[in-house]
Amino acid sequence: MDLSSDLRLNDPEVYLRTYGRPHPRPELLGTFVYGVPELNRARLRGATRISGAGCIATASELALAPFLRHAILAKGDAIVDAKIGSSAAGARPGPSGHHPERAGAIRTYAPVGHRHEPEIAQALGGRLRIHLTATAVERVRGILVAAHLFVQDGTSEQDVLMALRESYEDEPFVRLVLARRGIHRVPDPRVLDGSNWCDIGFGLDRDSGRLVVMSAIDNLVKGTAGQAIQALNVSVGWDERSGLSFPGLHP
Amino acid sequence: MDLSSDLRLNDPEVYLRTYGRPHPRPELLGTFVYGVPELNRARLRGATRISGAGCIATASELALAPFLRHAILAKGDAIVDAKIGSSAAGARPGPSGHHPERAGAIRTYAPVGHRHEPEIAQALGGRLRIHLTATAVERVRGILVAAHLFVQDGTSEQDVLMALRESYEDEPFVRLVLARRGIHRVPDPRVLDGSNWCDIGFGLDRDSGRLVVMSAIDNLVKGTAGQAIQALNVSVGWDERSGLSFPGLHP
Amino acid sequence: MDLSSDLRLNDPEVYLRTYGRPHPRPELLGTFVYGVPELNRARLRGATRISGAGCIATASELALAPFLRHAILAKGDAIVDAKIGSSAAGARPGPSGHHPERAGAIRTYAPVGHRHEPEIAQALGGRLRIHLTATAVERVRGILVAAHLFVQDGTSEQDVLMALRESYEDEPFVRLVLARRGIHRVPDPRVLDGSNWCDIGFGLDRDSGRLVVMSAIDNLVKGTAGQAIQALNVSVGWDERSGLSFPGLHP
Amino acid sequence: MDLSSDLRLNDPEVYLRTYGRPHPRPELLGTFVYGVPELNRARLRGATRISGAGCIATASELALAPFLRHAILAKGDAIVDAKIGSSAAGARPGPSGHHPERAGAIRTYAPVGHRHEPEIAQALGGRLRIHLTATAVERVRGILVAAHLFVQDGTSEQDVLMALRESYEDEPFVRLVLARRGIHRVPDPRVLDGSNWCDIGFGLDRDSGRLVVMSAIDNLVKGTAGQAIQALNVSVGWDERSGLSFPGLHP
């Protein structure tokens, strides 16, 4: 189980373009199973080499994957606008994470060129052009991704819902957030601190054909360590939920 | 000077669709000058009826307008992803603004169907389809807008910069944020509290042709009251900067 | 089990002075066991009427109780300065909890006259004059209490430590925070969200004889619902820790 | 004008005890005027050597000084409980200021032994024993001090008010916050960001004789740079308010 970003990409050329240096052991690329159980459960069973997925990548892939299984999209472009807490920048102190500079920030540290872009594209089988933007906001834990998509004419909320249900109704760690009213009608990472849930919701503008899929996780759990445990549970055949029962806090 | 949203839209049909009820005085629509000096300075001079602009609308229009004056865009679609503080939801207490529910939120309260969408489209002369998404984040004041656009093949950073400079180099309240390095290389509303600045920056992915334009304001100043004073200054012929000299705080 | 403040005080006169109205059922006062297991475990066993304790009261009592069992204090006065998150003010929206007014506040809503003052004094057997001040700070959950005490001449850190150890070494939900260095050398409610822990630490100024005892809890768990479960577990003879295993989050 | 803490203390012995090393130029100690105009205006006029005051020290001294001019106190002890934002810890990144560790903290980094203790005692002429505790809370700018004092029997709110008014009614940068109701009835640094105000309020418990004096400042303005400008204005005979007109923001 490798939690770094070293072994997520399969193609040495893409690795070079993404990380700015050649991979030191290119023969290893492609030999690790990408550790997102919702995408790769069959391959994870019995796997002995697993690569953890990126945190923004995980949230994005879970937002997008259901719509590739259905001929619902009008275009092959997905604009993914991610908002993210400070813990995703790592534990090492530095100027950009210094509290007087970081508190209350809305800082788009990666308008373009984010390193998870090719990772997401690869995980989705290259069927979508991914355009990722990442913005740091005031939180310690948590990511909210908004994936902006355009659907085919005539697509209804029911169609979107069916795509989501089909993908996720048996998933132990994906919840659909579908309330019509109230504060909790959309996914929000603030209720996911410490949990392995990925909460997914959506909004559809039937006039313009724009579909916005929202996906929230705790980057330190479903985005890293929790998902690693989930993938490990799958690989060795244990109950996938072992060690991951914390439901989150509210408020 | 009307600061409400009553007199921003010109078309009674659009008003009805946007606000869900017919306008009580439709003959007034179109008789107020839309109060964004950067877009409407000539018409504001001597104007006796001015309508204030919406806060997200202001930030979005200032991000987008420069690219309509140049044949730089490949498509007529703009996806505008806005992040916004709690003061924009008004001074009246309610469940969604109650601190234990609102603190640390990343809550996409309007994935689609935001009321500023037609206002922005109208202010830009109907030349762009506006797709707006608004997310509440942890701040009291401030908006950051990311406008995702696609440019024509071969467009360079220099072309984008020229479009911005041409529009804004003489503007008293627009600053271009263009640093290559450091924490302050992108617009961030955290340094604008209390000021009338609109800070604008951008990122361009030449491979994919995506241009991300970021625009930051204090919603209570450039987004409402400060801009109203600026528009009033223009209308009566005073120095446009009168009463608006506060430069903001850091950190 | 009563979680309100109705049945905490034993004396109808004190109730009247504290809550500003006569108690409607004064014959009930004194018939409920005060539900802080660390103070009242023996009486809670088999109890059929239990009153929950106040959140600031709980943190304060756990900070102070050990020093009453030892002849360590020079005076009978305790100044208790409490800092507290927004959830303690209740779930009902109102002006003082409205996010634009509450965010980032350091607001001493009760400099004197806090209603938990007589509750703490009573729980400690009337052996200390309690002087309580409560300040709302930016957090949703959590309380940190600093109890300022004066000790007898010659009292050492070792004496303080012994008093704390004697009281709490067998307690399942009290931890002593005693590190000499590092960020985590003092109790801080930020690591206790969702947990039933009470973390206690201290600083002693041997020159002036001032002892500062710090006590941190999550007001919604050890300060209310969690402690109620703990008290219930004691009363019915179950494992005191049942249902209370969540260790908290970091960061 | 020296903004460091090098030249605040007059006594080399106290300096050694406070800072843990002998002063390298002890002959300089006592030759700088302590730069708090409210305490030292006469001596600042024409002064050519001024030492800036500490931020917590400033807030504490302004809370305490009025009660030394009146025979109102019953004891010579003042317990000062300070809450403070992250900018007071300096601009250099480090583990304790790293956002994932610092956000939402209520961390009593100095329960006893704070270095401003002897500075405050000296500034008040040695007439009070100062017992200082400092706690970091979630804010960037700002300090709120609560000074706990005991007054003589029979002291009324009117007596306290008179002491404050006499000291401060002509002060350009001290405001008394005396509202009986509402959110803004006590000093709160959240409305002082960027301003040179010191807001002072109080609560008196006539039964116990405890007086709590609250004092709020922006540590980066009245606590450092703003007060330095104010002191400089006094020393050279300019209008004391020059360059310090910013009134603060709300919300």
Side-chain angles (χ1 to χ4, degrees), chain B residues 18 25 237:
Chain B
T18 305
R25 301 279 304 278

Side-chain angles (χ1 to χ4, degrees), chain C residues 17 75 77 79-85 95-97 99-113 117 130-133 135-139 141-144 146 148-150 183-190 202-205 207-208 210-212 214 250-251, chain D residues 17 75 77 79-85 95-97 99-113 117 130-133 135-139 141-144 146 148-150 183-190 202-205 207-208 210-212 214 250-251:
Chain C
R17 257 204 324 275
K75 302 185 190 175
D77 289 285
I79 287 178
V80 180
D81 194 298
K83 296 87 182 168
I84 188 158
S96 69
H99 185 277
E101 292 285 0
R102 181 62 177 77
I106 310 182
R107 184 189 298 155
T108 304
Y109 65 95
V112 296
E117 223 171 54
I130 304 298
H131 307 279
L132 180 57
T133 292
T135 300
V137 299
E138 175 61 45
R139 286 222 104 227
R141 291 162 174 256
I143 297 176
L144 180 76
H148 303 269
L149 302 164
F150 285 91
I183 302 172
H184 303 288
R185 71 187 186 280
V186 284
D188 188 334
R190 80 189 297 276
F202 73 94
L204 174 67
D205 183 331
D207 289 338
S208 67
R210 185 172 57 123
L211 170 65
V212 181
M214 295 155 278
H250 176 256
Chain D
R17 256 201 329 272
K75 304 184 190 176
D77 289 285
I79 287 178
V80 179
D81 195 297
K83 296 88 183 168
I84 187 159
S96 70
H99 186 277
E101 292 286 1
R102 180 62 176 78
I106 311 182
R107 183 189 299 156
T108 304
Y109 66 95
V112 297
E117 222 171 54
I130 303 299
H131 308 279
L132 180 57
T133 292
T135 300
V137 299
E138 175 61 45
R139 286 223 104 226
R141 290 161 175 257
I143 297 176
L144 181 75
H148 303 268
L149 303 164
F150 285 91
I183 303 172
H184 302 289
R185 72 188 186 280
V186 284
D188 188 335
R190 80 189 298 276
F202 72 93
L204 175 67
D205 183 329
D207 289 338
S208 68
R210 185 173 56 124
L211 170 65
V212 181
M214 294 154 279
H250 175 256

Side-chain angles (χ1 to χ4, degrees), chain A residues 2-251:
Chain A
D2 183 273
L3 289 181
S4 78
S5 57
D6 292 349
L7 297 153
R8 295 177 191 162
L9 297 174
N10 296 335
D11 183 334
E13 298 255 326
V14 176
Y15 185 91
L16 171 63
R17 254 201 329 272
T18 305
Y19 294 97
R21 56 178 191 277
H23 197 282
R25 300 279 305 279
E27 74 281 7
L28 289 177
L29 296 184
T31 68
F32 279 65
V33 181
Y34 188 68
V36 179
E38 291 81 1
L39 303 179
N40 269 344
R41 187 170 285 108
R43 294 184 57 217
L44 283 168
R45 291 206 180 97
T48 54
R49 290 179 164 189
I50 302 172
S51 164
C55 55
I56 294 179
T58 295
S60 303
E61 292 155 13
L62 294 179
L64 294 167
F67 305 102
L68 293 173
R69 298 180 191 151
H70 287 72
I72 211 173
L73 300 183
K75 304 184 190 177
D77 288 286
I79 287 177
V80 180
D81 195 297
K83 296 88 183 166
I84 187 159
S86 63
S87 63
R92 191 176 307 172
S96 68
H98 191 46
H99 186 278
E101 292 286 0
R102 181 62 176 78
I106 310 182
R107 184 189 298 156
T108 304
Y109 65 96
V112 297
H114 194 286
R115 288 175 168 186
H116 288 186
E117 222 171 54
E119 178 181 338
I120 301 166
Q122 173 188 292
L124 298 176
R127 281 170 293 166
L128 273 177
R129 280 179 299 278
I130 304 298
H131 308 279
L132 180 58
T133 291
T135 300
V137 299
E138 176 61 44
R139 285 223 105 226
V140 171
R141 291 163 174 256
I143 297 175
L144 181 75
V145 145
H148 302 268
L149 303 164
F150 285 91
V151 294
Q152 296 189 354
D153 281 359
T155 303
S156 69
E157 297 212 337
Q158 200 53 36
D159 298 328
V160 175
L161 195 51
M162 214 176 321
L164 288 170
R165 285 229 168 97
E166 211 165 283
S167 292
Y168 295 135
E169 67 186 347
D170 295 330
E171 282 299 336
F173 289 113
V174 180
R175 297 189 297 201
L176 302 184
V177 179
L178 300 167
R180 295 268 164 188
R181 309 189 159 281
I183 302 171
H184 303 288
R185 71 188 186 279
V186 284
D188 188 334
R190 80 188 298 275
V191 301
L192 301 178
D193 280 2
S195 89
N196 199 50
W197 295 108
C198 176
D199 280 0
I200 293 184
F202 73 94
L204 175 67
D205 183 331
R206 297 188 66 164
D207 290 338
S208 67
R210 184 172 58 123
L211 170 65
V212 180
V213 187
M214 294 154 278
S215 164
I217 60 170
D218 179 339
N219 57 301
L220 298 182
V221 187
K222 184 62 178 167
T224 325
Q227 181 158 262
I229 292 169
Q230 186 186 354
L232 221 57
N233 287 338
V234 173
S235 75
V236 298
W238 294 341
D239 181 334
E240 195 167 327
R241 295 161 301 180
S242 299
L244 297 169
S245 62
F246 182 60
L249 297 172
H250 176 255

Side-chain angles (χ1 to χ4, degrees), chain C residues 38-234:
Chain C
E38 290 81 0
L39 303 179
N40 271 342
R41 189 170 283 109
R43 294 184 58 216
L44 283 169
R45 290 205 181 98
T48 54
R49 290 179 164 186
I50 303 172
S51 163
C55 54
I56 294 179
T58 295
S60 303
E61 293 155 12
L62 294 179
L64 294 167
F67 305 102
L68 293 173
R69 296 178 193 153
H70 287 72
I72 211 172
L73 300 183
K75 302 185 190 175
D77 289 285
I79 287 178
V80 180
D81 194 298
K83 296 87 182 168
I84 188 158
S86 63
S87 63
R92 191 177 308 173
S96 69
H98 191 48
H99 185 277
E101 292 285 0
R102 181 62 177 77
I106 310 182
R107 184 189 298 155
T108 304
Y109 65 95
V112 296
H114 195 285
R115 288 175 169 186
H116 288 184
E117 223 171 54
E119 178 182 339
I120 300 166
Q122 172 188 293
L124 298 176
R127 281 170 294 165
L128 273 177
R129 280 180 299 280
I130 304 298
H131 307 279
L132 180 57
T133 292
T135 300
V137 299
E138 175 61 45
R139 286 222 104 227
V140 171
R141 291 162 174 256
I143 297 176
L144 180 76
V145 146
H148 303 269
L149 302 164
F150 285 91
V151 295
Q152 296 187 354
D153 280 359
T155 303
S156 69
E157 297 212 338
Q158 199 53 37
D159 297 328
V160 175
L161 195 51
M162 213 176 323
L164 288 170
R165 285 228 167 99
E166 212 166 282
S167 291
Y168 295 135
E169 68 186 345
D170 295 330
E171 281 299 334
F173 290 113
V174 180
R175 297 190 296 200
L176 301 185
V177 179
L178 300 168
R180 294 266 165 190
R181 308 190 161 281
I183 302 172
H184 303 288
R185 71 187 186 280
V186 284
D188 188 334
R190 80 189 297 276
V191 301
L192 300 178
D193 280 1
S195 89
N196 198 52
W197 295 107
C198 175
D199 280 1
I200 293 184
F202 73 94
L204 174 67
D205 183 331
R206 295 187 69 163
D207 289 338
S208 67
R210 185 172 57 123
L211 170 65
V212 181
V213 187
M214 295 155 278
S215 163
I217 60 170
D218 179 339
N219 56 300
L220 299 182
V221 188
K222 184 62 178 166
T224 325
Q227 180 157 261
I229 292 169
Q230 186 186 355
L232 221 56
N233 287 339
V234 173

